[in-house]
Amino acid sequence: MARPTTRPALALLLVAAAVLAGAGAARGFYLPGVAPADFRKKDPLAVKVNQLSSIKTQLPYSYYSLPFCRPGTIVDSAENLGEVLRGDRIENSLYVFEMMEPKLCQIVCKIAPNQDEARDLKEKIDDEYRINMILDNLPLVVPIKRLDQEAPTVYQQGVHVGVKGQYAGSKEEKHFIHNHFTFLVKYHKDANTDIARIVAFEVKPYSIKHEYDGDWKGNGTPLKTCDPHSRRLVVDSDSPQEVEANKEIIFTYDVNFEESPIKWASRWDTYLLMADDQIHWFSIVNSLMIVLFLSGMVAMIMLRTLYRDISKYNQLEDQEDAQEETGWKLVHGDVFRPPVNADLLCVYVGTGVQFFGMLLVTLLFAILGLLSPSNRGGLMTAMLLLWVFMGLFAGYSSSRLYKMFKGSEWKNVTIKTALMFPGIVFAIFFVLNALIWGEKSSGAVPFTTMFALVLLWFGISVPLVFVGSYIGFKKPAMEDPVRTNKIPRAIPEQPWYMNPVVSVLIGGILPFGAVFIELFFILTSIWLHQFYYIFGFLFLVFVILILTCAEITIVLCYFQLCGEDYQWWWRSYLTAGSSALYLFLYATFYFFTKLEITKTVSGVLYFGYMLIASYAFFVLTGTIGFYACFWFTRLIYSSVKID
C-alpha cells in the first residue's frame, strides 16, 4: 500500500511568483535554472528514488510502496507545484556511491516479501512498472542498442521492476525481479583541476538468485554468486530470482565510473535526441509546407476577390443601378447586430485570450531555455502561474466586447469569465483525482495542493479578471463602421454546403491538419514517458495554427456574408474551434493504436485529460478565428461607401 505523500505545497505556492520556472536556488547564472555540482575523488554521491511509473496504467506509485530496501529515515526532497501535479515523489535511498571509486557486489539489503508484498511485486511486473532514480538531477536510463550498428543508442527512461519468463523446459510463466543493478556514472573532468561533473547515469539490470554460505552477516556477507575476489561477477540473468512469498531476495549493485568528453552543459542532449529525428523533421516541414501553400492560396484569392468587390461597390454608388446591389454589402445594416447569448460569447473570447497569452509566453520562455527538462515540473508550474496572471487580459477583452454589444451587466460577465472554464476543468480534474486516490497512487494530488490551487484561482486569478474587466468597461465602446437597422433582415435559404454544421465541420480540418504531426510527438512524450524538447518547432507550429485558424475562418465568413447570412459571430468561433473535435477523435485513435492501457481507471484518466486538452484547444482556436473574422468584417465594411 502506498504511503500518503502529502506535503505543505501551500507554503511553496505563496512564493511561487518569485520562482516562476524555478525548482531550486541557482548558484551563479545558468539559464536552465540548475547550477552544476562539482565533485572530487571520493565525494559522496547520493542516489534519490522517484516514482514507479508505467505506460500501461499511467498510475504512478511511491518507490517505497513496494518492499524495496528502505533507509532508516525516509526524507522527501523539496518539490515544486509542477512536480506534485506530475506525481513525482523524490526520496532518499540506500544507494550511496563515492566519486570515481568503482564498487562491485555491494549488498543493499535482504528481504523476504510476505504474501501481499509478493502479489504486489507480481502485479507491478505484469503492468511493466519502471523504477526511476536520480543522480545529480539526471534521470536513470537504460541504454538499448539498436540492431543497426550505426544507429545511435536509444535510452529508456527508468528500469523495469522485473520481467516475466519461463524456466527451460517449462511452459509456466514466472515473475522474476531485477535485484542486481550495474550502474555506470559518466563524468567530465576538468583538465587543470581534479574537479569532475556528472554527465550521464546509466544502468543494466539483472535478475540473479544470490547464494551465500553460513549465517547472514548483514551487508558484509560474502556471496557465492557475486564475489569480486574470485572474479565471479553478475553479467547475465541465467539463474534468475523468482518472486515468491516468504522467499529471500538479496539486492546488490555494482557501480563503475567512466570519463566522458561530453560537457556538463550538453549532458541532456543524449536524452533529448532519442526520437528518430529525421522522420520527425521531415514530417513537420512537410506539414508546414502544405499549410503555408494553402495559406498563400487562401490569402491570394481573398485579396483579389475582395479588391474587385470593393471597387465594384464603390463604382456602383455613382450609377443609377446602385439599388440592385448583391452579396455581402446587402447585409451592412445587420452585420454588427449583437448575437444571441452575447454574454457567453464574451466569456469564451476572454478565456481564449487568457489561454493564448499563457501559451505564447510559455513557448517564449521555453525557447529561451528557461524551462529546461532538468528543471522538473518547471513547465507545468510556469503554465499554471501564467494562466493565473493572464486573468487580467481575459477580463479586459471580455468586457470590451460586452460593452460593444451595449451590455450593462458587466459584473455577471466578469464572474462567468473568472469561473466558467477553470470551474469545468477543476470539476473534471477533481473526479479524476478521486479515481487516482482510489487506486492508492502517488499521482493523486494532495489536499494541501488542491487547496493551494483553489487559493491561486480565487486569490489571484479572479481579482485580476475583475481588474481587467473594470479597466475594459471604463474605456469608450468600439464604434461600428456601419449603422445597424432596427428591424432584422430575413436570411435567404442557404445551399447545403453553407449549412452551419457543414461549414463548421469543414473549418476545423485545416487547423487540425497544421498540428496533428506535432500532436503525435506531444502525446507520445506525455503518455509514453519520453522527453519533449523541440519548442522552437512547436512555436513555429503554433504560428502556423494561428494563421490557418484565421484564414479558414475569414474565407468561410466571406462566403457566409456573400450568401446574405449575417449571423457570423458564433459561427466564426465554432468554425476554428471545431478543430478540437478532430483533436479528440485523433486522441481516441491514438489510444487504440499506440497505447496498451488495459485498466478501466487508466482509460478514464486518459480520456478525462484529453477532454480537458480538447476543451482548451477549442477555446484557443475559437478565439483566434473569432478575432480574425471580427477584424475582417470591420475592415471590409469600413472600406465601402454606405448611404
Side-chain angles (χ1 to χ4, degrees), residues 82 125 246 261 277 279 290 305 308 351 512 562 595 618 634:
I125 292 169
N246 305 313
D277 50 353
I279 294 171
I290 293 167
T305 310
R308 194 175 65 242
T351 305
F512 172 74
C562 285
L595 300 181
F618 165 73
R634 289 181 72 85

Side-chain angles (χ1 to χ4, degrees), residues 552-595:
I552 194 70
T553 312
I554 287 170
V555 170
L556 292 173
C557 180
Y558 173 71
F559 290 148
Q560 184 185 346
L561 293 173
C562 285
E564 298 175 30
D565 182 354
Y566 52 83
Q567 293 176 343
W568 61 272
W569 299 98
W570 272 109
R571 183 92 71 93
S572 64
Y573 198 99
L574 296 172
T575 297
S578 66
S579 54
L581 174 66
Y582 296 104
L583 188 148
F584 191 77
L585 291 173
Y586 180 75
T588 307
F589 169 77
Y590 185 88
F591 178 84
F592 289 110
T593 56
K594 298 289 177 190
L595 300 181

Side-chain angles (χ1 to χ4, degrees), residues 606-617:
Y606 175 85
F607 284 106
Y609 285 129
M610 290 317 299
L611 185 65
I612 291 173
S614 302
Y615 185 34
F617 195 69

Side-chain angles (χ1 to χ4, degrees), residues 194-382:
D194 61 346
I195 289 172
R197 289 175 176 174
I198 294 168
V199 294
F201 185 34
E202 299 174 6
V203 71
K204 285 184 181 171
Y206 300 100
S207 179
I208 179 154
K209 190 167 186 176
H210 283 303
E211 295 171 5
Y212 59 93
D213 288 324
D215 296 330
W216 179 256
K217 302 186 186 74
N219 291 5
T221 310
L223 299 172
K224 292 201 296 185
T225 43
C226 187
D227 185 1
H229 302 298
S230 59
R231 305 227 171 155
R232 287 209 61 169
L233 300 176
V234 179
V235 290
D236 55 46
S237 300
D238 288 348
S239 54
Q241 174 67 58
E242 191 184 335
V243 178
E244 291 179 284
N246 305 313
K247 293 287 176 73
E248 286 183 353
I249 300 172
I250 298 169
F251 287 91
T252 55
Y253 71 90
D254 303 335
V255 58
N256 294 302
F257 292 85
E258 184 183 290
E259 193 165 351
S260 167
I262 299 167
K263 293 190 175 176
W264 185 88
S266 309
R267 65 180 188 163
W268 276 89
D269 293 0
T270 314
Y271 305 120
L272 304 180
L273 300 173
M274 284 194 303
D276 197 346
D277 50 353
Q278 277 187 324
I279 294 171
H280 188 101
W281 299 129
F282 176 75
S283 302
I284 294 174
V285 170
N286 189 42
S287 172
L288 293 178
M289 292 305 290
I290 293 167
V291 170
L292 283 169
F293 174 68
L294 285 170
S295 301
M297 281 183 63
V298 163
M300 193 171 68
I301 292 164
M302 292 309 303
L303 287 169
R304 286 186 62 183
T305 310
L306 268 176
Y307 182 73
R308 194 175 65 242
D309 277 0
I310 291 167
S311 302
K312 187 177 81 176
Y313 286 144
N314 286 338
Q315 284 167 5
L316 279 172
E317 289 296 324
D318 305 323
Q319 297 171 13
E320 289 180 5
D321 57 347
Q323 70 272 16
E324 294 176 21
E325 59 194 31
T326 56
W328 53 266
K329 193 184 173 188
L330 267 178
V331 292
H332 67 80
D334 297 274
V335 76
F336 293 107
R337 189 179 300 285
V340 290
N341 298 320
D343 54 344
L344 191 62
L345 180 65
C346 297
V347 167
Y348 270 101
V349 167
T351 305
V353 169
Q354 188 174 5
F355 210 82
F356 180 84
M358 179 202 76
L359 269 182
L360 185 67
V361 179
T362 303
L363 284 172
L364 290 173
F365 274 13
I367 289 167
L368 293 171
L370 293 166
L371 299 174
S372 156
S374 60
N375 185 358
R376 261 181 313 279
L379 181 68
M380 197 172 282
T381 308

Side-chain angles (χ1 to χ4, degrees), residues 58 99 136 156 216 392 405 459 597 630:
Q58 303 294 337
M99 189 66 180
D136 188 35
Q156 171 195 291
W216 179 256
L392 188 72
F405 291 148
I597 290 175
F630 181 65

Side-chain angles (χ1 to χ4, degrees), residues 530-545:
Q530 293 179 9
F531 290 106
Y532 182 89
Y533 199 66
I534 47 165
F535 289 109
F537 255 90
L538 186 59
F539 183 75
L540 203 55
V541 169
F542 182 58
V543 172
I544 294 295
L545 175 69

Side-chain angles (χ1 to χ4, degrees), residues 189-195:
K189 200 169 184 181
D190 190 280
N192 304 320
T193 65
D194 61 346
I195 289 172

